[in-house]
Amino acid sequence: MTQTSTDSTVAPTLAKDDALVLFMPSGRRGRFPLGTPVLDAARSLGVYIESVCGGRGICGRCQVVVAEGNFAKHGITSSAHNLAAFTDTEERYKRVRSLPSDRRLSCSAKIQGDLVIDIPTDVAVNAQVVRKRAETRDIPRDLTTRLYYIEVEEPDMHQPLGDADRLVRALKRDHHLEGLTLDFPLVPRIQKILRAGEWKVTCAIHDEGIGHPVINAVWPGYTERLFGIACDIGSTTIAMHLTDMMSGRTVASAGTSNPQIRFGEDLMSRVSYVMMNPGGEVALTKTVREAVNTLVSRVCGEAGVKADEVMEAVFVGNPIMHHLFLGIDPTELGGAPFALAISGALTLPARQVGLDINHGGRVYTLPCIAGHVGADAAGATLAEGPHRSDEITLLVDIGTNAEIVLGSKARLVAASSPTGPAFEGAQITAGQRAAPGAIERVRIDHETLEPKIRIIGIDAWSGEPEFLEKQHITGVTGICGSGIIEVIAEMYLAGIISEDGVIRGELAAKSDRIIADGRTFSYVLWRGEQTHVITQNDVRAIQLAKAALYAGIKLLMDKLEITHVDRIRLAGAFGSYIDPKFSMVLGLIPDCLLANVAAIGNAAGTGARMALLNRGHRKEIEELVGRIEKIETALEPKFQEHFVYAMAFPNKVDAFPNLLKEVKLPERTANAGSAAGEGEGRRGRRGGRGREG
Ligand code: FES
């Protein structure tokens, strides 16, 4: 090579027989003597082309495509003929493993003239791996752990260099890797491994891109099997995906309930357990790690992967789950100022957290945004990318505490808001967790006030033949979170409750669904083997929860000095099931084009997968978290004011013009909001810090 540049305006000047080669999509280019392998040219320009076998024509991962044509802007006329004919190595690879007609192996193909080289992102080896559970997002791979095959010289009496040292030397020679060190636990095993592989081995090298690559696994012979896990540790459930790192595909997924529940249903009760039982965090840590390891063995078993082949594990979780998994006492997160032991991202050997993957595998935890806005919110932010857009995005993960991130490319703010457990069915008379038999959908006839319901497990509405036929299987057991949102919203739309949240007793004369309950009234949603009613207290609990969420969002909007948001993303299990329209009718979320409100499922888990497959995404979220401004809602003087206005349906002062285009809201009554002021303030009520996952 004689000259390199990334600046397309620099005219090549040297060695007129050299060929000009431009690599896409990076745009890097340089001049190279004829006969240079394309892979060498790429390397010398710092263009990454995957090469597990070090140019032996085994792995096929170094495939490239020649872009044909006249690239006048770059002064290049590129043609496949400007590469030397297929080598024997390529012919053999093509015969044994197959190679698309437009592809060449860059380790073998030699430059014979000017070229524009495309590096495909989808090198389709191992593509037969089954794709699991509709992972829709394509994540470009830029792995932190990579495989390198080498053939090491056998020991020689005249050159008393250690086996491990010769291994490092071979990696440097064949793969141009500098600054390598060997993970110490490998040292006592390296001689056996080298001999078992007859001096041919595959190494896993962990390289965060900051100049300290570490050889952390060595297997005898050649292998392309490299796997990673992405795991979201929620306080209620733990979800895990196993990914084939060489293809980027998810090959198995599994979930389990978090067994820490036996120490306390919600996060704060688990922190209380630790406070009241010195050393209790050890039991909580052991419990969550056992559950994680059970999932590791389950996903590996399902995909036929050995735990030894799993080299990377990325974790997200709310701050308390994050701390307990890492073995950190979460007591400080139990009260102001909610101090995290560590907020930054962490990379550590898997063995340090007792994770049953390869002994030398690495664990990465995403950074926490604040003491009550965790690594799960960071993961969701990474996945949704509000910082990559000019539009104002509101990202909400609703749990016992709602985690809220708001903003755009220009500025991002975050807070949590103490919604309490009402949205999850707690504090609601007929509330229950989402499970078969739970009411999840509700419609109320505005004239007769008669309801229709749907329960989890049956696709039909009550009254339809399928429902009548199947309802005995589970029974109608209660109301889950999405059902609660719908029934309260429908009661409001049908005029059963006023905008200030009072169940109208005068309607008892019109419908036997309205019944007296002491000094207040209730609505009978279901009469069957069990009767399920919505009481005045239930309505109040939802008002308090939604007002806390909305007030938190408004505070963040105040910070950004904005009055509307462009898009709303509802993360987490609860967000996936609630209907955006009903959430807006209740005033859980601010007005927005309904088409721009969407549930995004387990966005935290998607963020974890992104960090698993691409070390650039790790850097991106680490830098971003440093830029996100954290707002403590309890300290903001306007919280109470926003809260009181937000007690009304949908809100006492804020307009909902987009919602009104789609839904006819009841006329406002003159005394609207009178009951709103009765609502207890939420300050100091920050019971369950952190997200209930
Ligand atoms: Fe392995 Fe080219 S580097 S085939």
Side-chain angles (χ1 to χ4, degrees):
M1 180 192 65
T2 51
Q3 183 185 6
T4 67
S5 171
T6 55
D7 177 359
S8 59
T9 62
V10 176
T13 52
L14 300 174
K16 73 177 173 23
D17 286 343
D18 289 353
L20 181 57
V21 182
L22 170 73
F23 287 92
M24 298 303 283
S26 70
R28 292 183 185 228
R29 62 185 204 160
R31 285 194 161 269
F32 300 91
L34 304 188
T36 308
V38 174
L39 180 63
D40 289 359
R43 274 184 177 149
S44 67
L45 293 175
V47 173
Y48 178 67
I49 297 181
E50 203 165 8
S51 145
V52 174
C53 72
R56 288 180 176 80
I58 304 171
C59 70
R61 307 212 57 99
C62 62
Q63 294 172 28
V64 293
V65 176
V66 175
E68 305 235 13
N70 183 2
F71 297 81
K73 184 173 153 220
H74 301 287
I76 301 177
T77 301
S78 172
S79 157
H81 299 299
N82 290 347
L83 278 181
F86 262 61
T87 61
D88 290 350
T89 306
E90 285 176 290
E91 293 291 0
R92 192 187 63 231
Y93 184 86
K94 194 170 184 174
R95 215 174 40 246
V96 179
R97 303 279 299 267
S98 94
L99 192 62
S101 59
D102 60 339
R103 301 263 173 116
R104 298 291 303 266
L105 296 182
S106 64
C107 62
S108 288
K110 297 200 171 78
I111 297 165
Q112 288 294 356
D114 293 353
L115 287 162
V116 174
I117 299 282
D118 275 333
I119 302 172
T121 51
D122 64 322
V123 176
V125 286
N126 279 356
Q128 70 275 22
V129 189
V130 185
R131 192 168 173 144
K132 281 275 172 180
R133 300 200 192 153
E135 294 293 339
T136 48
R137 187 178 298 230
D138 269 337
I139 303 165
R141 290 179 321 121
D142 177 10
L143 302 181
T144 311
T145 298
R146 293 172 182 172
L147 295 180
Y148 297 90
Y149 171 77
I150 39 162
E151 296 177 4
V152 181
E153 296 106 38
E154 296 189 26
D156 177 346
M157 295 253 278
H158 303 292
Q159 287 188 38
L161 203 58
D163 285 353
D165 304 278
R166 269 180 290 106
L167 175 103
V168 169
R169 191 172 66 181
L171 281 163
K172 187 172 174 184
R173 179 196 65 213
D174 289 0
H175 293 280
H176 310 271
L177 295 166
E178 299 287 345
L180 281 175
T181 53
L182 193 69
D183 213 16
F184 181 73
L186 268 177
V187 176
R189 297 166 45 222
I190 198 71
Q191 295 193 300
K192 280 212 171 73
I193 298 170
L194 283 168
R195 282 156 184 83
E198 295 175 338
W199 308 98
K200 300 179 179 68
V201 291
T202 305
C203 302
I205 295 181
H206 184 266
D207 183 358
E208 292 172 64
I210 50 174
H212 305 292
V214 178
I215 307 164
N216 55 346
V218 182
W219 297 274
Y222 176 76
T223 182
E224 284 176 17
R225 292 179 64 80
L226 179 71
F227 294 85
I229 59 174
C231 185
D232 177 11
I233 306 180
S235 42
T236 309
T237 55
I238 305 175
M240 184 179 288
H241 301 288
L242 177 70
T243 297
D244 180 341
M245 305 289 274
M246 302 303 276
S247 67
R249 290 184 173 84
T250 300
V251 292
S253 301
T256 184
S257 55
N258 188 334
Q260 286 181 338
I261 283 174
R262 70 171 181 267
F263 297 95
E265 182 84 10
D266 60 48
L267 285 167
M268 274 318 288
S269 46
R270 289 180 219 173
V271 175
S272 306
Y273 175 87
V274 173
M275 288 171 169
M276 279 152 41
N277 298 277
E281 73 278 7
V282 177
L284 281 155
T285 295
K286 185 166 173 275
T287 305
V288 70
R289 287 181 182 173
E290 277 170 6
V292 166
N293 278 330
T294 303
L295 284 182
V296 171
S297 93
R298 214 191 305 160
V299 288
C300 285
E302 198 182 309
V305 169
K306 293 191 205 116
D308 177 57
E309 296 166 337
V310 181
M311 290 303 301
E312 288 270 353
V314 173
F315 289 88
V316 292
N318 61 56
I320 292 169
M321 289 301 107
H322 167 274
H323 275 38
L324 284 171
F325 175 69
L326 289 171
I328 303 168
D329 183 338
T331 303
E332 291 299 328
L333 295 169
F338 310 101
L340 289 152
I342 178 153
S343 52
L346 275 179
T347 302
L348 64 162
R351 54 186 175 265
Q352 285 183 357
V353 290
L355 190 66
D356 291 342
I357 62 172
N358 187 294
H359 202 60
R362 291 293 189 267
V363 162
Y364 176 80
T365 56
L366 269 74
C368 290
I369 296 174
H372 39 83
V373 188
D376 49 355
T381 306
L382 179 61
E384 270 314 297
H387 57 293
R388 295 190 281 265
S389 168
D390 289 321
E391 286 185 332
I392 299 279
T393 301
L394 169 64
L395 180 59
V396 189
D397 191 340
I398 304 167
T400 303
N401 259 355
E403 294 177 332
I404 313 164
V405 177
L406 176 72
S408 65
K409 219 183 237 176
R411 193 177 166 201
L412 277 177
V413 288
S416 79
S417 211
T419 43
F423 290 142
E424 295 179 337
Q427 298 176 346
I428 302 292
T429 312
Q432 69 158 92
R433 284 195 185 280
I439 299 170
E440 59 166 350
R441 294 271 172 266
V442 177
R443 296 289 180 275
I444 296 175
D445 187 296
H446 294 192
E447 287 306 316
T448 65
L449 310 187
E450 282 300 302
K452 276 194 309 190
I453 62 161
R454 255 174 49 183
I455 62 173
I456 297 176
I458 303 181
D459 283 339
W461 288 93
S462 55
E464 293 176 1
E466 188 191 341
F467 187 94
L468 296 170
E469 198 181 297
K470 293 184 180 165
Q471 61 162 306
H472 69 278
I473 300 171
T474 55
V476 180
T477 51
I479 310 167
C480 69
S482 61
I484 291 161
I485 299 293
E486 292 202 7
V487 69
I488 306 284
E490 280 282 312
M491 284 168 74
Y492 166 58
L493 291 174
I496 298 169
I497 47 180
S498 62
E499 66 257 42
D500 53 19
V502 175
I503 298 180
R504 291 196 166 114
E506 68 268 27
L507 292 175
K510 177 178 169 187
S511 165
D512 67 355
R513 296 266 169 191
I514 314 292
I515 57 169
D517 181 5
R519 289 168 51 215
T520 59
F521 288 84
S522 297
Y523 176 72
V524 182
L525 175 61
W526 182 252
R527 285 191 178 107
E529 262 178 44
Q530 294 178 47
T531 298
H532 300 303
V533 297
I534 305 297
T535 68
Q536 183 62 62
N537 278 344
D538 296 339
V539 179
R540 202 53 98 214
I542 290 299
Q543 280 180 287
L544 291 166
K546 73 104 179 177
L549 173 58
Y550 192 88
I553 295 169
K554 283 288 285 186
L555 276 182
L556 295 188
M557 291 173 74
D558 290 350
K559 283 285 158 194
L560 294 185
E561 298 175 352
I562 56 172
T563 52
H564 84 281
V565 299
D566 296 316
R567 54 181 196 148
I568 300 177
R569 295 291 178 260
L570 302 168
F574 181 67
S576 299
Y577 294 109
I578 56 174
D579 184 320
K581 182 179 80 184
F582 289 115
S583 326
M584 212 178 278
V585 167
L586 283 191
L588 232 74
I589 49 176
D591 186 63
C592 178
L593 259 184
L594 270 175
N596 289 351
V597 185
I600 49 172
N602 183 5
T606 303
R609 285 182 53 241
M610 291 170 73
L612 177 68
L613 282 165
N614 190 305
R615 60 185 177 183
H617 285 316
R618 297 187 187 187
K619 208 163 159 241
E620 178 185 354
I621 192 61
E622 287 166 21
E623 283 172 4
L624 182 65
V625 163
R627 283 202 286 121
I628 297 176
E629 297 163 52
K630 295 89 184 171
I631 312 296
E632 176 49 69
T633 51
L635 300 177
E636 293 291 327
K638 281 201 82 177
F639 184 85
Q640 195 66 12
E641 185 185 328
H642 287 316
F643 180 85
V644 169
Y645 289 148
M647 283 291 286
F649 295 124
N651 191 284
K652 186 157 189 302
V653 290
D654 287 347
F656 282 75
N658 284 299
L659 177 66
L660 283 172
K661 283 183 209 153
E662 317 240 355
V663 182
K664 188 172 177 326
L665 296 180
E667 294 291 318
R668 285 190 179 230
T669 52
N671 66 344
S674 60
E678 297 163 17
E680 63 186 86
R682 276 292 163 121
R683 275 200 256 172
R685 193 190 165 275
R686 194 182 283 282
R689 279 274 175 184
R691 185 182 70 106
E692 296 292 304

